[in-house]
């Protein structure tokens, strides 16, 4: 019998053992990706591979680790087998790795000949081979044009690293020494977990430790089901878009557009994430294999729905059904290219899960505190860089400057500025000095960029601007940009909040850098070319990038003018942005800005009139009625049926069985209206930001990004 005190002691001990493994890996790593930015994670798994303990670093790397273990159990039980002291390495995204640069090492944990657990680690390697340094080939036609995937191979046998396998693994890489250190770090981290778990079994008994793992899985599943039962049933939708230029595209031909479509249905104590309507897979690197889909879908559920619950992916998996269709951009069929999935399709998957869970949570008072807009997504400023140092040695890696985008606004406050990915809570960008120590580069600047946070009653966090040049070598640096979020924004707002700002990437003459200081969102057009598969940064050039802002929450013109003024004083919003995005008139000198209260009131009244073409109806003072459908809508009984009404003015909008979005006032706005520094990329005109207003009081109830001319999306459906 496992008593509660022992359970709590061992639960926390297992979590500490797993976190210690991540620290070991980071300390032994030779790459700034792991040592500084923590692009890694570690897990402890049950004997069948279900993930019980996971680190707080890159969550999207660990959910599918059980698929790796199951592949080993299914394929290798007899030949070559697995036993005490063995470890297996893989980077196969069709087996369970996130993508080829994320190398997974797993190890069984035996006690007296009995398998009691598995442990594992994953780390993003600087280079794992393939045609393009950095391990990602933008214009790959299939996985055969990418870094070669390696199925699980026993690299440690009876406690010793197999030199033949290690040599074969390292021979693929241009950064073999860094990869060797990461590999040693992963092996040692797993060995430490194994020894400490064996120590727990010696002290408490293997049966007790196994019972703790089982109870964590069972209780997490039960707690999540209980939470879902407390939420009204419903169905919610979101669409995210990707741009990609496949190999062989004609010069001047616009990027192809791919849509990730999610329909999320909650019934009783189960959640279904249905991606089957997503577009067919691309002839290139942006596709996600099924393990990547599972990683970002379940990882998103952990972050956005499981606050206050144990983070036990193996307990969440039975509650959440991920539906997909092989051959789509979210579930690619072999041999589709997938190496760039984490910066493309996977980001669209995460944003879609975030948006739908946010819609679901705003339907009940009990969980409003958990509502969160989307954080940044990977953008054009993310990518790999490579070249040759002055001594002739090669370098290939990522700067991770991209992990400086804004966090999403929450029900209780603004998003965190330049905070990075919500689903990577322990990861961060490397310090400027660290990147300059590892790479032949010099940073001209890194600063938070105003007006990039998504406007709302609560503002999304702002992103950052980076500018760097080649330093200490005559050879140019080549960058391969991920190329996303340039033509349209990706980080969705919630409850009527706006999207965060787009990303930006460009190679400019160094002399043009000073002129950027005077540019702002909404300025006169600054036409920029879409990045090619490689961009060369030579002497006299500067690589400029902007990370995306986080989404906002709530109607922007309901934000307190005093809060907008604080943002202006802090350099997070410009006076022009206050006028454009929040309808707040800021006057006075830049050193002493003030709000003109009367002009602001008149401006906000005028904006409401513009939204619906007439004077808005007065707000209701009677409070909310019926069942809460969203932050701004109620489902009100009407005889034997029901109607959807505005929560602010109590005006009936449509019948309860109708699509409410088709009965709201719709206004489209060009995506370039808030583009950072006024940047304009060709193809952006194909997208629009669609705003939905109450036809009576003009409250902004929803904001969507769609292709121009697309039909209205039924984002909320009553079951």
């Amino acid at each position: 019998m496992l008593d509660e005190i022992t359970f709590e002691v061992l639960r926390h001990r297992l979590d500490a053992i797993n976190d210690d493994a991540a620290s070991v890996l980071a300390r032994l790593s030779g790459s700034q990706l792991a040592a500084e930015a923590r692009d890694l994670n570690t897990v402890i798994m049950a004997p069948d591979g279900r993930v019980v303990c996971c680190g707080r670093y890159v969550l999207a790397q660990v959910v599918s680790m059980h698929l790796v273990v199951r592949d080993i159990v299914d394929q290798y039980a007899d030949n070559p087998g697995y036993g005490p002291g063995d470890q297996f390495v893989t980077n196969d995204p069709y087996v369970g790795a996130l993508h080829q640069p994320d190398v997974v090492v797993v190890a069984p944990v035996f006690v007296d000949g009995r398998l009691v657990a598995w442990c594992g680690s994953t780390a993003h390697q600087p280079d794992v081979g393939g045609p393009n340094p950095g391990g990602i080939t933008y214009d790959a036609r299939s996985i055969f044009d990418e870094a070669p995937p390696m199925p699980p191979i026993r690299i440690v046998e009876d406690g010793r690293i197999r030199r033949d396998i290690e040599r074969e693994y390292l021979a693929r890489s241009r950064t073999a020494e860094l990869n060797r250190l990461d590999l040693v770090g992963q092996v040692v981290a797993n060995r430490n977990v194994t020894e400490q778990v064996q120590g727990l079994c010696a002290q408490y008994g293997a049966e007790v430790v196994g019972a703790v793992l089982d109870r964590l899985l069972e209780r997490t599943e039960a707690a999540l089901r209980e939470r879902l039962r407390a939420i009204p049933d419903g169905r919610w939708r979101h669409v995210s878009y990707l741009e990609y230029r496949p190999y062989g595209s004609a010069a001047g031909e616009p990027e192809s557009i791919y849509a990730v479509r999610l329909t999320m249905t909650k019934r009783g104590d189960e959640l279904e994430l249905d991606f089957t309507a997503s577009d067919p897979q691309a002839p290139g690197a942006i596709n996600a294999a099924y393990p990547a889909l599972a990683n970002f879908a379940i990882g998103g559920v952990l972050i956005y729905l499981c606050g206050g619950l144990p983070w036990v992916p193996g307990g969440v998996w039975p509650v959440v059904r991920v539906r997909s269709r092989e051959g789509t951009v979210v579930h690619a069929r072999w041999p589709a290219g997938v190496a760039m999935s984490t910066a493309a399709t996977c980001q669209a998957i995460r944003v879609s899960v975030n948006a739908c869970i946010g819609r679901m949570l705003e339907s009940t008072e009990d969980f409003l505190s958990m509502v969160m807009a989307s954080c940044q997504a990977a953008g054009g400023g993310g990518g790999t860089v490579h070249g040759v140092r002055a001594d002739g040695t090669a370098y290939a890696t990522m700067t991770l400057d991209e992990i400086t985008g804004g966090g999403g606004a929450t029900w209780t406050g603004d998003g965190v500025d330049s905070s990075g990915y919500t689903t990577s809570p322990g990861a961060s960008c490397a310090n400027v000095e660290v990147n300059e120590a590892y790479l032949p580069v010099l940073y001209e600047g890194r600063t938070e960029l105003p007006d990039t946070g998504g406007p709302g009653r609560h503002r999304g966090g702002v992103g950052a601007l980076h500018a760097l040049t080649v330093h200490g070598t005559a050879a140019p640096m080549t960058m391969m940009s991920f190329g996303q979020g340039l033509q349209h924004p990706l980080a969705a707002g919630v409850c009527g909040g706006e999207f965060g700002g787009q990303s930006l990437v460009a190679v400019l003459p160094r002399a043009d850098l000073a002129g950027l200081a005077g540019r702002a969102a909404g300025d006169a057009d600054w036409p920029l070319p879409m990045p090619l598969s490689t961009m060369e940064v030579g002497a006299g050039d500067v690589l400029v990038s902007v990370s995306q802002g986080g989404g906002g929450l709530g109607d922007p013109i309901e934000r307190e003018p005093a809060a907008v003024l604080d943002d202006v004083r802090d350099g997070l919003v410009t006076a022009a942005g206050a006028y454009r995005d929040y309808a707040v008139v800021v006057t006075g000198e830049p050193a002493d800005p003030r709000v003109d209260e009367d002009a602001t009131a008149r401006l906000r009244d005028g904006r409401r009139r513009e939204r619906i073409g007439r004077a808005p109806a007065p707000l209701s003072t009677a409070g909310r009625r019926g069942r809460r459908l969203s932050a701004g809508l109620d489902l009100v009984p009407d005889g034997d049926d029901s109607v959807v009404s505005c929560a602010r003015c109590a005006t009936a909008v449509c019948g309860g069985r109708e699509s409410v979005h088709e009965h709201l006032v719709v206004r489209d706005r060009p995506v370039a209206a808030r583009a950072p520094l006024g940047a304009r990329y060709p193809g952006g005109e194909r997208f629009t930001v669609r705003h939905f207003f109450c036809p009576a009081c003009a409250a902004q109830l929803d904001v969507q990004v769609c292709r121009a001319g697309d039909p209205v999306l039924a984002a909320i459906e009553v079951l």
Side-chain angles (χ1 to χ4, degrees):
M1 184 71 177
L2 177 63
D3 64 87
E4 284 299 317
I5 294 177
T6 302
F7 170 72
E8 287 297 323
V9 168
L10 291 183
R11 176 171 76 90
H12 286 87
R13 182 67 186 127
L14 286 168
D15 195 59
I17 290 171
N18 188 62
D19 195 57
D20 184 53
S23 298
V24 168
L25 171 53
R27 289 197 302 268
L28 291 178
S29 172
S31 164
Q32 86 274 23
L33 300 178
E36 297 291 335
R38 295 299 197 269
D39 195 348
L40 56 83
N41 217 330
T42 52
V43 297
I44 297 175
M45 297 170 275
D48 61 0
R50 288 177 294 170
V51 178
V52 180
C53 301
C54 62
R56 274 57 170 171
Y57 298 98
V58 181
L59 278 179
Q61 290 178 336
V62 301
V63 172
S64 69
M65 293 278 270
H66 77 281
L67 298 178
V68 174
V69 170
R70 289 182 183 177
D71 183 84
I72 293 169
V73 171
D74 291 343
Q75 300 289 333
Y76 300 161
D78 296 324
N79 181 12
Y82 50 90
D86 290 350
Q87 298 196 36
F88 293 81
V89 62
T90 181
N91 72 332
D92 192 335
Y94 284 90
V95 170
L98 191 54
H99 62 159
Q100 293 98 308
D102 285 338
V103 174
V104 175
V105 181
V106 298
V109 180
F110 283 88
V111 174
D112 296 329
R114 171 187 172 187
L115 179 65
V116 298
W118 287 78
C119 61
S121 59
T122 181
H124 188 112
Q125 306 289 353
D127 180 79
V128 288
N132 193 63
I136 300 174
T137 304
Y138 180 89
D139 51 2
R141 291 162 290 183
S142 73
I143 202 167
F144 299 113
D145 292 333
E146 299 181 339
M150 181 169 61
I153 295 177
R154 184 163 58 186
I155 194 164
V156 179
E157 188 171 10
D158 195 22
R160 298 180 64 195
I161 292 179
R162 288 190 52 174
R163 296 302 180 198
D164 55 347
I165 302 298
E166 181 188 32
R167 288 180 66 190
E168 196 282 333
Y169 166 66
L170 296 178
R172 304 159 177 253
S173 175
R174 301 169 179 85
T175 58
E177 182 59 22
L178 294 180
N179 290 32
R180 187 186 68 82
L181 289 171
D182 278 352
L183 179 63
V184 170
Q186 291 183 261
V187 168
V188 173
N190 287 348
R191 185 176 297 161
N192 282 4
V193 172
T194 299
E195 292 173 353
Q196 292 189 65
V197 171
Q198 289 170 337
L200 287 182
C201 292
Q203 182 177 357
Y204 292 92
E207 293 78 7
V208 172
V209 174
V212 172
L213 298 176
D214 290 340
R215 185 174 292 183
L216 279 168
L217 291 164
E218 293 164 0
R219 288 193 174 178
T220 300
E221 178 180 348
L224 180 54
R225 290 190 184 279
E226 181 181 5
R227 176 163 292 180
L228 287 171
R229 285 193 292 269
I231 300 173
D233 289 349
R235 182 171 288 133
W236 302 269
R237 296 179 177 86
H238 187 80
V239 181
S240 290
Y241 295 96
L242 309 160
E243 311 97 48
Y244 181 64
R245 179 180 294 278
Y247 176 86
S249 298
E253 181 182 349
E255 286 75 20
S256 299
I257 300 174
Y258 295 87
V260 171
R261 299 183 178 90
L262 170 61
T263 298
M264 187 181 84
T265 303
K266 182 266 164 188
R267 290 185 186 272
D269 62 358
E270 293 187 342
L271 195 65
E272 180 184 84
L273 305 177
D274 187 349
F275 292 93
T276 56
S278 298
D279 281 352
Q281 66 190 40
I286 66 170
N287 304 294
Y290 177 77
L293 167 62
N295 270 314
F296 275 85
I298 303 296
V301 172
L302 276 168
I303 287 289
Y304 303 117
L305 184 58
C306 295
L309 303 181
W311 276 3
V312 180
V316 173
W317 196 283
V319 184
V320 182
R321 181 186 181 194
V322 180
R323 293 190 61 201
S324 59
R325 180 167 50 90
E326 191 176 21
T328 57
V329 70
V330 300
H331 184 173
R333 180 183 292 112
W334 174 273
V338 295
M340 209 172 73
S341 62
T342 58
T345 296
C346 291
Q347 298 293 320
I349 291 168
R350 177 188 57 77
V351 169
S352 298
V353 171
N354 186 168
C356 286
I357 289 179
R359 293 185 190 279
M360 179 178 71
L361 292 175
E362 65 176 291
S363 71
T364 173
E365 292 276 355
D366 294 339
F367 299 108
L368 286 179
S369 63
M370 294 172 55
V371 175
M372 180 187 296
S374 174
C375 68
Q376 69 158 104
T384 62
V385 295
H386 68 269
V388 180
R389 298 181 178 88
D391 62 3
T393 59
Y395 65 92
T397 188
M398 297 191 298
T399 64
L400 294 181
D401 289 342
E402 179 64 17
I403 311 183
T404 52
T410 69
W411 188 261
T412 56
D414 294 342
V416 182
D417 300 313
S418 57
S419 59
Y421 299 112
T422 314
T423 44
S424 300
S428 65
C429 68
N431 289 332
V432 166
E433 292 81 3
V434 169
N435 279 342
E436 290 177 341
Y438 274 86
L439 306 169
V441 299
L442 177 69
Y443 277 78
E444 300 284 352
R446 174 186 279 179
T447 181
E448 291 179 333
L449 190 63
D451 295 336
T452 51
R457 186 176 75 250
H458 292 147
R459 173 185 53 78
V462 301
L465 181 146
H466 312 266
L468 59 88
T469 60
V470 179
H471 180 72
T473 178
M477 178 177 71
T478 300
M479 181 201 186
M480 187 217 71
S481 168
F482 294 147
Q484 295 300 319
L486 302 172
Q487 296 181 4
H488 65 85
L490 290 169
V494 291
C495 307
E498 302 272 0
F499 278 69
Q502 291 103 299
S503 59
L504 179 151
V505 64
V507 177
L508 308 175
R510 190 171 183 178
D512 291 354
L513 184 60
L516 295 183
R519 299 197 61 87
D523 278 0
D525 287 1
W526 181 28
L528 289 172
M530 287 294 289
L532 303 174
S533 57
T534 56
M535 304 165 62
E536 189 169 284
V537 185
D541 291 335
V542 59
L543 175 64
V544 176
S545 64
V546 172
S547 53
Q548 298 169 31
L553 182 145
D555 192 339
I557 64 174
E558 293 180 358
R559 183 167 176 82
E560 290 292 336
V564 177
L565 180 61
D566 285 343
D567 286 341
V568 173
R569 288 172 172 162
D570 292 339
L572 302 173
V573 173
T574 62
Y579 185 93
R580 178 188 63 243
D581 300 332
Y582 300 96
V584 172
V585 179
V586 176
T587 61
E589 296 298 321
D592 184 28
R594 300 182 302 277
V595 171
D596 186 325
E597 300 286 354
D598 292 338
T600 295
R602 292 193 298 271
L603 179 60
R604 288 187 165 186
D605 286 343
R607 290 280 176 89
R608 291 186 175 95
R609 286 176 174 268
E610 290 174 6
R611 286 175 171 183
I612 59 175
R614 61 179 179 82
L619 301 184
S620 172
T621 59
R624 304 198 66 145
R625 306 178 302 153
R627 168 191 149 190
R628 184 187 183 96
L629 192 60
S630 72
L633 297 169
D634 290 328
L635 187 65
V636 182
D638 183 27
D640 294 334
D641 210 335
S642 59
V643 296
V644 177
S645 69
C646 175
R648 291 174 174 80
C649 65
T651 300
V653 177
C654 65
R657 301 177 187 275
E658 298 179 273
S659 170
V660 63
H661 283 76
E662 294 183 358
H663 294 269
L664 301 175
V665 174
V666 180
R667 296 280 187 264
D668 284 359
R669 184 192 68 191
V671 295
R674 289 185 54 248
L677 307 178
R680 304 291 188 272
Y681 287 96
E685 68 281 356
R686 298 178 294 176
F687 298 95
T688 186
V689 181
R690 184 164 288 172
H691 299 75
F692 296 86
F693 305 113
C694 170
C697 70
Q700 183 163 292
L701 300 177
D702 199 11
V703 182
Q704 300 172 6
V705 166
C706 60
R707 283 183 286 195
D710 274 1
V712 170
L713 176 69
I716 301 174
E717 181 180 340
V718 178
L719 297 184

